[in-house]
Amino acid sequence: MSINPVSDEGIASLWTGVSRFPVALFRQQLELAYRGFGLPELDAKEAVDVLSAADLYGIESHGIALIDYHSSGYRAGDFVPGAPLTVNRETPVSVTFDGHSGPGPVQGSRAMRRCVEKATESGICIATVNNSTHYGMAGYYARMASDAGLIGVAMTNSGSLVAPTFGSAPMLGSNPIAVAVPAGAGSDGIVLDMSTSTVAWGKIAIAQRAGKSLPDGWAQDKTGRPTNDPNEVGALTPLGGERITSGQKGYGLGLIVDVLCGPLGGGGSSWQVLGGLGNGRGSGVGHSFMAWRIDAFRDPEEFHTDIRQMIADLHASPVAPDVPSDRVLVPGDIEAATRRYNEKHGVPVRPQVLDEVRAVCDEWGVPFVLTGE
Ligand SMILES: NC(=O)c1ccc[n+]([C@@H]2O[C@H](COP(=O)([O-])OP(=O)(O)OC[C@H]3O[C@@H](n4cnc5c(N)ncnc54)[C@H](O)[C@@H]3O)[C@@H](O)[C@H]2O)c1
C-alpha cells in the first residue's frame, strides 16, 4: 500500500503498540542515568540533548537504546566521565582535539560548537577529535551547524564491522557521514545522515531477536560468503553490497571517513578502534567535523531560495509504481516529520529497551521513571 510516509498516519504505522513518554520525562530518565554513570551535570545535559534527539528523530538505534552499551563502557572504565577536551593543534580554520575517552556525545558537541564558532569567524573550519568514544547519531552535529545557518558535516569511525570489497574479515566501522544544508526559516533543509554500510548493525540484531532471515546483500558469514542467517554474520557489507552492486563505492566512502576521523587527527583506523566494548581497554573512536559559511560563497537568501526550489522539484517529481510511498522525499524529511510527531505524541520506547533501561537503573542505583504511558 502506498502511503504518505511523512504524515501522522504514516509515522504512527511504524510504531504501533509501542509505549510513548512525554519528552520531559524521557529526558529526565536519561539525565538520571548519565548522572548515575558519573557525568557532571552540564555534561549529562549535553549527552541527553544528543541521545534524546535521536529518539525524537525516530533513530531508535542511537538514542536511549545505547544505554546498556554505554553502561558497560562506564562500568569498565572505557568511557571516562568528566574527561576534558583538549587542543592538540589549532589554526584559524582548523582544530585537532583529544577527547581523553570522554563521553562521545559531550566531546562531539563541544568540538562541533568550537568548529562552528571558528567557521563563523573565518568562513570555514575543519575539526577532528581523537581518543573519543561512541557519539551516537552523526546528524545531530551536522545540524548544530545548519541551525546556526552554516553547512555542516559530521563523521565518525567505530569498531570493525564492515568487510572491505573482496574481504572476508570486518575491518571498517559503519562509519557514518552526515551533511546538513540549511534552507532558511520554515524549511527543514536537507539532512543526509547515513552509515557507509548497507545496513547498521542494529538491523542484524533486530532480525536475530525476531528470528527472521536477512535480505540478500546485507551481510556475509565468517568465511566471507553471503549469508541470510542473522546468527552467522561475520561482517556487514559496505553500502552497495557486493562488487556487482557497487559495494566498492561504499567501501571507499567508509575508508575516507576513517582517514578523516582517525589518522588525520592522530588517531587509529576502525580496525584499531577498541570500540568501548566493556573490556577496560578504552575506545579510541575518532570524529571529524566541518562547517562553512554560505555568505563566503554567495548571498545566503538566494542560496536558501535555490535549495527550497531543489527540494520542491524533487517532492513534485513523479513517483514509481509499487513503492511504499506516495511521494519522492529528500534526505531528512522522515526524521523532521517524526520529530514533530514525537514532540506532540511522546517519545516511543520499545518494551525490550525499557527492560534494558530498568536493569541499568537498578545496577547504578538510579530511579527508573519510565513507568506508565
Ligand atoms: N556513531 C556511530 O558509530 C554510527 C555508526 C553508524 C550509523 N550511525 C547513525 O545511525 C543512524 C542511522 O543510519 P542509517 O544508515 O541506518 O540511516 P538510514 O538508512 O535510515 O537513512 C539514511 C538517510 O536516508 C534518508 N532517507 C530515508 N528514506 C529516504 C527516502 N525515501 N528518500 C530520500 N532520503 C531518504 C534519511 O533521511 C537519512 O538521511 C544515523 O543517525 C547515523 O549517524 C552512527
Side-chain angles (χ1 to χ4, degrees):
M1 190 184 66
S2 180
I3 59 166
N4 175 355
V6 291
S7 66
D8 281 5
E9 186 197 6
I11 293 164
S13 69
L14 300 175
W15 302 92
T16 47
V18 179
S19 304
R20 289 183 175 273
F21 300 94
V23 177
L25 185 68
F26 182 82
R27 287 183 58 95
Q28 183 194 356
Q29 180 67 80
L30 278 171
E31 196 170 334
L32 284 164
Y34 283 80
R35 290 287 280 146
F37 297 156
L39 272 67
E41 188 178 352
L42 288 179
D43 289 8
K45 284 190 192 310
E46 193 117 70
V48 171
D49 285 346
V50 178
L51 297 169
S52 60
D55 284 298
L56 282 166
Y57 285 121
I59 303 173
E60 55 179 318
S61 53
H62 284 75
I64 199 167
L66 288 173
I67 201 166
D68 187 50
Y69 165 58
H70 284 177
S71 167
S72 64
Y74 288 109
R75 189 194 312 123
D78 290 331
F79 305 163
V80 179
L85 183 77
T86 55
V87 174
N88 285 338
R89 188 178 284 230
E90 186 163 15
T91 75
V93 292
S94 65
V95 55
T96 304
F97 293 106
D98 186 326
H100 300 278
S101 296
V106 179
Q107 307 303 51
S109 298
R110 288 173 176 162
M112 186 45 137
R113 196 173 301 120
R114 186 72 191 120
C115 186
V116 169
E117 281 168 8
K118 286 174 71 70
T120 304
E121 289 160 14
S122 303
I124 187 164
C125 183
I126 301 180
T128 64
V129 185
N130 68 11
N131 199 19
S132 186
T133 62
H134 191 278
Y135 78 5
M137 65 177 292
Y140 179 86
Y141 310 96
R143 279 189 181 87
M144 286 176 69
S146 63
D147 286 349
L150 292 83
I151 293 178
V153 177
M155 297 175 256
T156 183
N157 64 11
S158 71
S160 298
L161 294 169
V162 180
T165 302
F166 298 148
S168 65
M171 297 296 286
L172 296 174
S174 45
N175 297 1
I177 303 174
V179 182
V181 179
S187 170
D188 297 319
I190 300 170
V191 185
L192 175 67
D193 181 14
M194 48 164 260
S195 53
T196 51
S197 49
T198 300
V199 293
W201 180 262
K203 293 192 176 150
I204 308 292
I206 289 167
Q208 284 171 340
R209 288 198 289 272
K212 289 191 175 161
S213 61
L214 304 176
D216 290 344
W218 280 19
Q220 51 191 55
D221 65 18
K222 289 190 173 60
T223 70
R225 291 191 176 79
T227 183
N228 302 97
D229 183 344
N231 298 307
E232 292 297 319
V233 175
L236 300 173
T237 57
L239 179 64
E242 296 180 48
R243 176 69 177 80
I244 190 74
T245 47
S246 295
Q248 78 279 9
K249 300 182 198 177
Y251 164 39
L253 281 173
L255 178 59
I256 295 304
V257 171
D258 224 6
V259 169
L260 298 179
C261 295
L264 180 64
S269 53
S270 289
W271 54 97
Q272 294 165 326
V273 167
L274 300 166
L277 298 174
N279 53 19
R281 295 172 62 208
S283 177
V285 162
H287 320 304
S288 186
F289 304 96
M290 302 173 195
W292 59 94
R293 267 183 11 217
I294 291 159
D295 70 355
F297 296 83
R298 63 180 298 205
D299 176 65
E301 291 306 317
E302 290 174 11
F303 174 78
H304 293 157
T305 302
D306 285 353
I307 299 302
R308 284 167 186 254
Q309 191 60 54
M310 286 175 80
I311 294 170
D313 289 349
L314 286 162
H315 284 165
S317 66
V319 182
D322 308 323
V323 294
S325 173
D326 68 356
R327 65 198 57 211
V328 171
L329 304 172
V330 298
D333 277 349
I334 289 178
E335 288 81 7
T338 303
R339 180 171 188 133
R340 284 189 277 275
Y341 184 90
N342 288 346
E343 280 174 343
K344 190 167 159 199
H345 297 279
V347 188
V349 188
R350 296 195 189 271
Q352 185 183 2
V353 176
L354 279 177
D355 289 346
E356 288 175 8
V357 176
R358 190 183 289 107
V360 166
C361 289
D362 287 350
E363 180 191 341
W364 291 84
V366 300
F368 176 70
V369 296
L370 294 184
T371 51
E373 291 167 41

